[in-house]
Amino acid sequence: MKIDTSFLNNDPLKALDSLKANQSPKLINSNDKAFEGVLNAASSLFEETNAYQKKYDNLQTDFVSGKSDDLIALTMASTRASSSLQFTTQVTGKVVQAYQEIMRIQM
């Protein structure tokens, strides 16, 4: 969304007068493509995190059952899954904080 700043002419006194007259800046709806991009990025982040977790689960099952003895791959997959989950949790927390901040804005 873009903020209409046309009320902020070159003359600061006119801008102050318009604000005193209780004229708030108008929000202009831009294309929803920016929001759609954020949702697509979040969706791909969740899918990637899920894929890392599934890969770790498969390697762990293979290691425990004796089908594989590659402890290094298991450790790397565990670290990658854990890091990805922590990152996803942090991003989700920041998105929730941003949403709450937006909801506090008074128009």
Side-chain angles (χ1 to χ4, degrees), residues 49-65 73-74 77-78 81:
T49 301
N50 192 32
Y52 286 141
Q53 188 65 41
K54 284 182 179 180
K55 182 176 180 179
Y56 169 65
D57 289 342
N58 290 338
L59 286 173
Q60 186 178 25
T61 302
D62 289 348
F63 185 78
V64 169
S65 66
L74 179 64
S78 171

Side-chain angles (χ1 to χ4, degrees), residues 39-55 84 88:
L39 286 179
N40 288 339
S43 175
S44 67
L45 179 63
F46 290 133
E47 289 173 5
E48 184 177 343
T49 301
N50 192 32
Y52 286 141
Q53 188 65 41
K54 284 182 179 180
K55 182 176 180 179
S84 181
T88 302

Side-chain angles (χ1 to χ4, degrees), residues 81-93:
S82 176
S83 297
S84 181
L85 183 61
Q86 288 175 0
F87 179 72
T88 302
T89 305
Q90 290 292 323
V91 169
T92 304

